[in-house]
Amino acid sequence: MKLLPLQKRGLAASRLVLGCMSLGGGWNRDPITKEDLLQAEQAVDAALSIGVSMFDHADIYKMGKAEEAFAHVMKGKPGLREQIVLQSKCGIRFSEGAIPGRYDFSRQHIAQAVDGILQRLSTEYLDVLLLHRPDPLIEPEEVAEAFARLKAEGKVRYFGVSNMSAAQMRFLQQALPEQLAVNQLEMSLGHLDWLDHGVHVNQRAGTGVNFPEGLIEHCRMQQIQLQAWAPLAQGRFTGKPVDHEPDNIRRTAELVRQMAAEKGTTPEGIVLGWLMKHPAMIQPVIGTANTERIIACQHAEAQSELMTREEWYSLYVSARGENLP
Ligand SMILES: NC(=O)c1ccc[n+]([C@@H]2O[C@H](COP(=O)([O-])OP(=O)(O)OC[C@H]3O[C@@H](n4cnc5c(N)ncnc54)[C@H](OP(=O)(O)O)[C@@H]3O)[C@@H](O)[C@H]2O)c1
């Protein structure tokens, strides 16, 4: 079996990642409730039961409460920390009074953010730290200093980015001693620009497509792990009511349902299998906290191997809502 780029770097990362943005209650500073903790525990248990060993966080998720809820779960499972790959992100700051929400890749903010993450997760180290969204004020040398310090202190093992173009990655990379390990982007059957930019080269029809040229190729050539956020397209093809969605979404949801029934699998298996059939070895970061829906994702990798080229294109073309050029 082909190895993931992260596995080649020595991390025991599973193909599916549990995105933890739904854990920890509301997007507010209210205390975490017993129900929130139970939900986190059940979601993590369901993920572990289907072989998930990698978990994705960000310092901002539920104002830090997602990480706190996850720490509570780890506390109840001695030894779990060493068995999993923990990833979090920093670089987005909420608005404070008159100061608007903003990005911050300063040395000081990265260091403080990681200390906060480690404290909330109640762990001594992160396996992977991602810079959440590109900061226009980035100084690569400053980021490099922050990363070097975190690595020397044993606080972070690997570094990566999220929502960055290949040019932005190269710009940062030239200041770093080690290869960036990850780029996390929105990619799914419901968000197709990552494919459409490639099939529309030299076509007027492609002018509305927004995905950086050459990013997938750059990550593949450099062995950078691609991760897909929102890979379930928030449930639009897997059971969420779609009455008010455009025709292409409704038709594709029906196609997914039919394929799942024919293959004796779940709609989640088809939607994620479709994403995982792409040769870039994408890791879907599934954001559901619903235990049944997590378990419904378990056969996705097997489905990716069974899916034919014709089935893959049928889903792609249906979701695009128009034929390929
Ligand atoms: N790097 C970034 O900028 C970035 C941005 C956004 C997210 N992320 C990461 O990516 C992860 C996944 O993103 P995501 O949660 O936005 O997207 P997702 O995985 O595509 O969808 C999960 C969301 O859709 C709902 N959902 C799924 N299937 C459903 C169904 N059949 N019926 C009704 N609702 C359904 C889930 O609710 P239930 O919990 O009720 O199932 C959950 O709210 C996050 O947890 C986070 O780790 C990263």
Side-chain angles (χ1 to χ4, degrees):
M1 205 155 75
K2 269 170 77 181
L3 288 179
L4 296 173
L6 277 182
Q7 293 169 337
K8 289 186 189 160
R9 286 175 209 268
L11 279 172
S14 50
R15 188 73 197 271
L16 290 179
V17 178
L18 184 72
C20 295
M21 192 172 71
S22 288
L23 310 186
W27 286 91
N28 52 46
R29 306 220 181 259
D30 295 349
I32 302 179
T33 64
K34 273 190 191 153
E35 291 72 34
D36 300 334
L37 295 178
L38 183 65
Q39 176 218 36
E41 206 171 309
Q42 289 174 340
V44 172
D45 277 341
L48 293 171
S49 78
I50 63 161
V52 169
S53 67
M54 183 161 184
F55 295 85
D56 179 68
H57 287 269
D59 54 356
I60 56 167
Y61 291 166
K62 305 295 175 61
M63 325 295 247
K65 291 186 290 179
E67 291 172 333
E68 285 175 17
F70 196 86
H72 172 85
V73 176
M74 284 199 294
K75 202 171 164 198
K77 299 181 189 302
L80 181 66
R81 173 64 192 97
E82 291 69 39
Q83 291 160 23
I84 61 173
V85 177
L86 256 187
Q87 172 173 284
S88 193
K89 316 182 196 76
C90 70
I92 298 182
R93 301 187 72 162
F94 290 121
S95 61
E96 293 154 276
I99 309 170
R102 60 210 182 276
Y103 306 141
D104 191 343
F105 288 1
S106 66
R107 191 188 305 106
Q108 192 190 23
H109 178 71
I110 293 173
Q112 274 175 1
V114 170
D115 284 344
I117 290 168
L118 296 180
Q119 195 182 12
R120 284 188 297 276
L121 281 172
S122 195
T123 184
E124 283 171 10
Y125 66 98
L126 275 181
D127 294 290
V128 187
L129 175 73
L130 306 185
L131 297 176
H132 207 153
R133 280 192 177 276
D135 175 7
L137 300 182
I138 183 173
E139 287 287 5
E141 289 71 22
E142 194 176 345
V143 173
E145 277 175 41
F147 283 4
R149 176 155 236 182
L150 290 168
K151 182 117 186 170
E153 290 169 343
K155 292 179 179 174
V156 178
R157 296 177 67 198
Y158 295 91
F159 299 91
V161 297
S162 178
N163 304 303
M164 275 201 195
S165 69
Q168 289 169 323
M169 293 183 83
R170 279 195 216 98
F171 181 56
L172 172 57
Q173 186 65 66
Q174 43 85 29
L176 302 177
E178 280 182 38
Q179 179 77 253
L180 288 164
V182 173
N183 192 0
Q184 188 179 111
L185 301 146
E186 183 171 12
M187 296 183 281
S188 74
L189 200 49
H191 191 89
L192 290 167
D193 287 7
W194 64 287
L195 294 174
D196 283 344
H197 87 289
V199 300
H200 276 303
V201 169
N202 203 25
Q203 299 282 316
R204 217 168 257 160
T207 46
V209 175
N210 183 6
F211 194 84
E213 175 63 32
L215 176 55
I216 301 283
E217 293 79 0
H218 173 73
C219 291
R220 286 183 70 183
M221 288 196 303
Q222 301 298 320
Q223 294 288 313
I224 294 162
Q225 180 70 56
L226 279 162
Q227 297 177 341
W229 61 263
L232 292 168
Q234 273 99 23
R236 276 175 288 155
F237 306 109
T238 53
K240 196 171 171 173
V242 285
D243 308 343
H244 301 295
E245 295 284 350
D247 282 356
N248 59 318
I249 302 291
R250 282 190 279 121
R251 274 200 298 266
T252 308
E254 177 53 22
L255 180 59
V256 168
R257 194 195 61 73
Q258 274 172 20
M259 271 193 196
E262 279 163 21
K263 290 166 178 276
T265 187
T266 57
E268 285 82 356
I270 299 295
V271 165
L272 298 176
W274 176 84
L275 195 55
M276 291 154 88
K277 184 175 169 64
H278 190 280
M281 300 290 288
I282 295 165
Q283 277 183 307
V285 184
I286 54 169
T288 175
N290 174 301
T291 53
E292 281 175 27
R293 290 202 262 271
I294 293 171
I295 289 170
C297 298
Q298 71 180 315
H299 299 304
E301 190 163 18
Q303 287 306 321
S304 74
E305 283 155 20
L306 292 171
M307 191 173 286
T308 64
R309 180 173 276 265
E310 287 66 33
E311 288 167 337
W312 189 88
Y313 269 102
S314 299
L315 288 163
Y316 175 30
V317 172
S318 170
R320 292 177 93 237
E322 58 183 323
N323 285 332
L324 291 166

